[in-house]
Amino acid sequence: MSGAEPGYGSGRAARGLDSAVVAGHPASALAGIAALEAGGNAIDACLAMAACDWAAMPDMCGPGGDLFALWREPDGAVRAVNGAGPAPAAYAHPKSDDDRAGYCLIPGAPAAFARLARDAGRLGLEAALARGEALAARGVTVSPRLDRHLQALREGPLRQALAEAHGGRLPRADERFVVPGLAESLARWRHGDLDGEFARACEAWGAAGAKVGAREAADYAAQDEAPLALAFGAWTAYGQPPMSQACATLAALGIAGADTVRENDDAHRAHMLIEAYKRAYGDLAELADGNGPRARAEASLSGAALRAKRETIDHRAAMGAPMARNYGETTQVAAVDREGRVATLIHSLYRPFGGRLLAPNGWLSNDRGASFTTGANAPAPGRRPRHTLVGILMHHPEEGSWAFGTPGAQAQTQTTLQIAVGVMRDPARPEAAVAAPRWNFIGGDQLAVEARVAPAILDTLAARGHKLALRPPSDWLMGSIGLVGARGRTRVAVADHRRDALALAY
């Protein structure tokens, strides 16, 4: 079965009458469709795609990283699972950024994956892992992105291990690539030995300087929490709860207000959204584990707080909080099933190949501890850092349900904001929202903008005091949205053209 078969839609936008999926790798998207055709629901599809991502995109994600999911059930219940692992008991924040091993936190992905398979899917854990296991054994062709990340690896144990697994040299673009040991590991996990996989991974990582203990890793339980919610006219927007920064997307939407969404002056609408985002982003400094993060996130979404911030916006660009640029890598999948369940799942190691520690079972360590900062978000054992991974979901009684996310580090909250507004403005054409040129606040009065932005809009933003940095017409730093929707009987998936991605529907 392929997207070219009769009755199937595929590519950047796909529509069908049954189900739809989107993923950052074609093999993952096909696994999602296969799960749905086997009787699975949107969660089963997301899990099958995520497991394939571990084999196809090991620079982006893996069982050694984190995993978040957000979905809406057909009865209207919206649920979220947070697999954001904390710092281990022996954690000591590295003094040098070169100490990638020292940034390793407890992996949250396995617990979140297993919880979703048990509590939200239909097909079970074995089915969720089976396609990923098969892909890990068969291997994938090296994409241009994976080729760049492989060749950028410094001399060291990871580069050496990958070269040895491929005949003494790193494979190049269009050659076969496998993560050594991963297929066997997924097979053992599928047969019930997850604790053994933690032990194998943590022993190898520990020998290289990571501080995660096998027992504390195996004992970690992913958080099942109520999502954040923002009523917005007839729409309700939902976001992943902390430690995700999704509250910034919702807060910026609320600060901008419904009039901004309806505004037909493109330049004025962009200015309002940018200024609203600056104010929402500023509140993130106090969003931290151990600092009442959920209460703070919910307070930032109160009507009074949103109105007060909206009243500070005028026609001139304000100075926003400084932003530390980080270009962590991640990937995201999404699915909608025949019952209308919509789901988005996002997972990551943080930076390319995470901590660059490859255990014999194919598990790469994460380096998520590098997202600790200072102040409220300072590192400490048992604490989770403020997380860049974001899931957004929206529902309208007539325009349907939509779920989406994107890679892009700090751009995630900004890109999802622009997509939310675009879908609200024209829910019949969600692909237009994904294709539209984007902006990205980068601190102070600085704004990165794609070169496709209309000259009149650029002129107006510059005249209002925004300092513009022109980026390529379709800039990978602006993210790669994966979006699905259930609108009436139609099932929709949209894949962003800015990076490799595939949408399939039937």
Side-chain angles (χ1 to χ4, degrees):
M1 187 275 292
S2 73
E5 292 181 18
Y8 288 81
S10 67
R12 297 305 186 189
R15 284 173 167 79
L17 294 175
D18 189 288
S19 305
V21 301
V22 61
H25 193 279
S28 300
L30 287 170
I33 288 291
L36 291 164
E37 289 185 319
N41 63 22
I43 294 297
D44 293 301
C46 285
L47 292 174
M49 291 189 285
C52 285
D53 285 345
W54 296 342
M57 308 174 75
D59 49 334
M60 303 291 209
C61 58
D66 295 313
L67 185 152
F68 294 178
L70 176 69
W71 71 101
R72 183 181 190 272
E73 295 283 358
D75 64 4
V78 180
R79 299 174 60 189
V81 165
N82 268 2
Y91 186 80
H93 199 63
K95 293 181 170 60
S96 168
D97 192 59
D98 290 333
D99 181 11
R100 296 274 284 263
Y103 287 123
C104 184
L105 306 187
I106 293 171
F113 192 98
R115 184 172 195 134
L116 289 163
R118 183 189 68 227
D119 296 342
R122 291 184 186 136
L123 302 180
L125 180 66
E126 287 195 35
L129 291 168
R131 292 285 292 231
E133 178 189 334
L135 189 64
R138 189 193 72 186
V140 297
T141 56
V142 176
S143 68
R145 184 213 71 254
L146 181 54
D147 184 39
R148 289 194 301 271
H149 286 167
L150 285 169
Q151 304 313 318
L153 285 173
R154 296 179 182 178
E155 291 295 338
L158 176 58
R159 187 181 181 101
Q160 181 179 349
L162 292 177
E164 289 176 353
H166 295 90
R169 66 174 182 86
L170 292 178
R172 297 303 307 251
D174 294 331
E175 296 180 342
R176 178 176 178 266
F177 176 84
V178 297
V179 181
L182 182 61
E184 295 81 2
S185 174
L186 295 183
R188 290 189 293 266
W189 180 3
R190 189 164 56 84
H191 290 99
D193 190 22
L194 178 56
D195 283 7
E197 295 314 296
F198 275 120
R200 293 177 182 92
C202 291
E203 180 181 7
W205 297 345
K211 304 298 183 184
V212 177
R215 189 68 264 157
E216 62 181 341
D219 287 344
Y220 169 76
Q223 301 296 313
D224 190 344
E225 304 177 44
L228 300 173
L230 174 72
F232 197 83
W235 290 90
T236 304
Y238 300 89
Q240 200 83 32
M243 290 312 296
S244 168
Q245 297 181 149
C247 57
T249 301
L250 302 186
L253 183 63
I255 294 166
D259 287 346
T260 292
V261 173
R262 291 190 291 263
E263 175 61 65
N264 287 324
D265 182 329
D266 293 339
H268 179 69
R269 186 173 65 253
H271 172 76
M272 288 295 295
L273 291 172
I274 293 161
E275 293 303 302
Y277 180 77
K278 288 178 184 177
R279 287 149 178 82
Y281 175 72
D283 285 345
L284 291 179
E286 297 303 315
L287 186 78
D289 212 3
N291 197 28
R294 181 164 192 115
R296 289 180 180 275
E298 291 178 339
S300 74
L301 300 178
S302 72
L306 298 173
R307 286 191 297 272
K309 288 184 171 61
R310 187 182 309 133
E311 290 171 1
T312 68
I313 300 175
D314 61 23
H315 73 286
R316 297 289 298 174
M319 292 294 291
M323 178 178 285
R325 303 299 292 153
N326 57 356
Y327 301 114
E329 293 291 359
T330 185
T331 192
Q332 174 259 351
V333 300
V336 52
D337 59 32
R338 60 175 58 99
E339 292 92 0
R341 187 180 287 100
V342 295
T344 177
L345 180 154
I346 187 165
H347 54 155
S348 176
L349 292 169
Y350 192 48
R351 289 178 291 188
F353 292 107
R356 298 177 178 168
L357 304 182
L358 179 64
N361 65 348
W363 287 32
L364 281 151
S365 70
N366 67 77
D367 64 338
R368 179 58 63 177
S371 56
F372 281 120
T373 55
T374 57
N377 191 47
R383 188 169 284 181
R384 299 169 297 165
R386 195 161 53 240
H387 224 291
T388 55
L389 299 191
V390 168
I392 299 294
L393 192 150
M394 304 192 312
H395 177 74
H396 187 285
E398 296 176 359
E399 303 296 354
S401 299
W402 305 88
F404 49 95
T406 178
Q410 293 292 358
Q412 289 187 35
T413 45
Q414 306 183 59
T415 295
T416 52
L417 169 64
Q418 292 166 78
I419 298 304
V421 171
V423 171
M424 287 179 177
R425 286 177 59 81
D426 191 358
R429 295 194 312 136
E431 61 269 35
V434 174
R438 295 178 190 153
W439 50 263
N440 184 0
F441 166 66
I442 53 178
D445 56 2
Q446 305 290 307
L447 192 70
V449 291
E450 290 185 324
R452 290 182 296 123
V453 175
I457 297 176
L458 296 177
D459 290 346
T460 300
L461 292 175
R464 291 190 175 199
H466 299 278
K467 300 294 190 301
L468 305 182
L470 207 61
R471 297 292 305 172
S474 295
D475 185 13
W476 72 274
L477 292 176
M478 301 289 180
S480 181
I481 283 284
L483 176 148
V484 296
R487 188 169 184 260
R489 288 191 61 196
T490 302
R491 304 294 180 254
V492 184
V494 183
D496 204 325
H497 66 281
R498 290 167 179 83
R499 302 192 193 186
D500 295 337
L502 179 64
L504 297 172
Y506 69 101

